[in-house]
Amino acid sequence: MRYSAYIPCCNDVATIRAAVESVLAQTLPPAEVLVVDDASTDASLAQLAGLDIRVIRHESNLGRGAVRARAMAEAREEFVLSCDATNRLPPGFAAAAAPLFAAERTAAAFGPLADPVPRGVASRWRARHLFRQDDQPGRHARALLSTYGTFVRRGAAASVGGFTPTLRATEDADLGRRLLAAGYDVVFAPELTVWSNTVNSAAKVLERYWRWNYAAAGRAVLRSYPRLVWYSWRTMIAQDLRAGDWPAAAVSALCPHYCAARSLFAR
């Protein structure tokens, strides 16, 4: 299978090179590798010296949807691999994904995101509640698309309108819903594990949790506020306490309040 690959980047100086190198090191190598830089203000692009890639740079920050739409427009191959700049792919990722596209109805395929060695309370909380490393489903074809490390069939994506350039969050879930509605399969495959390559603060972890789970709902989340609080105590805090992780339980207790406030003041 021939494929293009891209890495979206915005101020990822500490991790961008590792992400690109993990794509270049695939046992089934890409035909081309693009880095789409969304107006980084740090030295991210300087980290890419000597790598066989093509850099596309936005002069102003346009957001996630615009970056992914640009990458899909620039890619030359029908199959397109994405790897976020804060992650890295195991060498066999592309080879493991290729057979899933033997079925023409498969529009996208991805797997779990994991932290191989969680460091600190925020990383432990992220692994348990955001990545859900201990509670992964088996393979299924009606998954809600996530693009942290993902293959997408260009023709299928284009047929439903592609990534929405104006979306700064949930651009992957938005495309995934349209693919599923059009009768395509979006495959979650446990063997397509992607490794996180960054350490987040507690504030950043909570922001990611909100973005992944509630950003698309907007202020409608406020109507679910009591249910969010109940879930945090009944499920999240209970898991933390079973693990003897009292500091993580404190983050879980804060989580529903953060999500409600973030939804209230989201643009």
Side-chain angles (χ1 to χ4, degrees):
M1 181 176 77
R2 287 180 59 86
Y3 67 95
S4 299
Y6 74 92
I7 299 89
C9 176
C10 182
N11 294 333
D12 295 301
V13 64
T15 57
I16 180 63
R17 189 174 181 98
V20 174
E21 289 180 336
S22 77
V23 173
L24 290 169
Q26 291 298 298
T27 56
L28 178 62
E32 61 172 348
V33 177
L34 316 175
V35 171
V36 183
D37 181 73
D38 200 24
S40 291
T41 56
D42 63 6
S44 291
L45 297 185
Q47 307 305 309
L48 304 177
L51 298 179
D52 184 17
I53 62 173
R54 178 160 59 104
V55 175
I56 300 163
R57 178 172 167 77
H58 291 165
E59 293 304 317
S60 60
N61 184 271
L62 301 177
R64 300 169 189 274
V67 167
R68 297 196 188 281
R70 178 74 180 273
M72 296 296 282
E74 295 278 353
R76 300 187 181 105
E77 303 296 334
E78 169 66 358
F79 299 100
V80 183
L81 167 66
S82 66
C83 176
D84 281 359
T86 53
N87 300 331
R88 52 190 170 87
L89 303 180
F93 184 92
L100 300 174
F101 289 90
E104 291 188 5
R105 65 185 294 170
T106 300
F110 70 103
L113 180 59
D115 186 341
V117 185
R119 292 159 286 178
V121 58
S123 291
R124 295 194 307 272
W125 192 92
R126 182 181 67 172
R128 188 175 300 125
H129 299 300
L130 187 65
F131 299 166
R132 298 181 180 176
Q133 289 180 204
D134 298 327
D135 186 27
Q136 290 293 340
R139 182 185 294 184
H140 60 105
R142 302 294 294 173
L144 190 58
L145 181 63
S146 292
T147 46
Y148 42 72
T150 308
F151 266 97
V152 174
R153 193 190 296 263
R154 283 182 66 207
S159 73
V160 298
F163 288 102
T164 302
T166 56
L167 288 178
R168 287 185 168 268
T170 69
E171 77 289 345
D172 44 5
D174 171 69
L175 174 60
R177 290 188 187 95
R178 285 181 277 122
L179 288 169
L180 293 174
Y184 288 106
D185 286 344
V186 175
V187 178
F188 177 91
E191 64 269 27
L192 300 183
T193 299
V194 177
W195 296 118
S196 176
N197 198 33
T198 188
V199 176
N200 296 142
S201 65
K204 181 61 176 177
V205 166
L206 287 172
E207 190 278 334
R208 291 182 74 183
Y209 186 90
W210 169 81
R211 176 160 45 85
W212 285 19
N213 293 283
Y214 301 114
R219 293 192 176 189
V221 172
L222 300 177
R223 293 196 293 269
S224 303
Y225 178 58
R227 188 163 66 248
L228 299 184
V229 174
W230 173 244
Y231 176 80
S232 74
W233 282 92
R234 181 176 59 91
T235 301
M236 300 171 74
I237 293 174
Q239 290 175 351
D240 296 327
L241 295 182
R242 282 196 297 270
D245 197 344
W246 286 86
V251 179
S252 292
L254 178 61
C255 183
H257 311 299
Y258 174 91
C259 290
R262 186 70 175 81
S263 297
L264 180 62
F265 295 107
R267 289 187 297 173

